[in-house]
Amino acid sequence: MKKIIAIVITLFLSVAFGLVANAQVPKEGTLAGTVNYAGTHKIIPLDKERAVLVYDNMGVRLEDSGQGPFHGLSIHNTGIAYYEKGVGRLRGYMFNMDKDGDQYIIELIEEGAPQTGPINGTGKIIGGTGKFTGIQGGIEYTRTGLRPVADGTHQAVSKFKGSYKIVEPKK
């Protein structure tokens, strides 16, 4: 009998704390902050006017408010850009992971981006896990490259703003 009571209490507490953990992310809201990152890249020239750049970087995401479920997330961003006559198109995927291992992914898009200078882009939040399950939304950002510390590396700062909502899965 004591085992059954212990199991029931354990199940109740697991469900209760699971709901509290999911409640930590409001059902909708705005996003505004900075992503600081560094990484590596490889340029693959096609000819004198065209090249493909493959990149991989990691960093940290900080909300302007300095708090909340989106503050202090680790990021891993990987993607590819195609440049023709100094103007590029980029497609990337940024994984944002919190301290519990829950994460969500943003698909990044840049069209008509110059190879240098501040670059504007958009992102679409396409899914998540754990407390971020059902997340949807979008961001706009401006990325500013910094002087690299070594050949084949890059550092940058991106300022972003956007909104999200958590959509309950259809049953």
Side-chain angles (χ1 to χ4, degrees):
M1 182 67 172
K2 288 182 181 181
K3 286 184 181 180
I4 293 173
I5 292 172
I7 290 171
V8 168
I9 290 172
T10 301
L11 283 172
F12 173 78
L13 291 174
S14 296
V15 169
F17 285 115
L19 292 174
V20 168
N22 283 335
Q24 292 175 353
V25 179
K27 295 295 182 194
E28 61 183 272
T30 59
L31 306 165
T34 305
V35 173
N36 300 298
Y37 61 86
T40 58
H41 61 268
K42 180 175 182 169
I43 298 172
I44 305 163
L46 300 171
D47 56 31
K48 288 183 179 184
E49 295 184 343
R50 298 177 298 161
V52 171
L53 179 137
V54 179
Y55 72 90
D56 191 66
N57 58 54
M58 295 183 197
V60 64
R61 174 197 168 127
L62 303 171
E63 285 289 312
D64 287 344
S65 67
Q67 60 186 358
F70 299 98
H71 181 68
L73 301 181
S74 297
I75 64 105
H76 180 201
N77 178 4
T78 189
I80 189 166
Y82 170 74
Y83 289 94
E84 186 169 348
K85 297 180 181 176
V87 178
R89 296 189 311 241
L90 177 139
R91 295 295 180 272
Y93 293 90
M94 180 182 288
F95 297 84
N96 298 264
M97 185 181 304
D98 72 4
K99 62 181 176 25
D100 300 323
D102 296 337
Q103 59 184 325
Y104 67 95
I105 185 171
I106 302 174
E107 182 177 43
L108 302 172
I109 300 168
E110 294 174 8
E111 294 289 343
Q115 284 182 301
T116 60
I119 298 169
N120 296 317
T122 61
K124 179 180 177 185
I125 302 172
I126 58 175
T129 65
K131 68 181 70 67
F132 301 117
T133 298
I135 192 167
Q136 300 175 358
I139 63 166
E140 295 178 350
Y141 64 90
T142 299
R143 174 169 51 90
T144 304
L146 305 172
R147 184 176 177 169
V149 296
D151 288 342
T153 68
H154 57 266
Q155 291 76 40
V157 175
S158 290
K159 293 291 294 174
F160 66 88
K161 63 180 179 176
S163 63
Y164 74 93
K165 65 181 177 177
I166 305 284
V167 178
E168 295 294 326
K170 294 181 181 179
K171 296 179 182 183

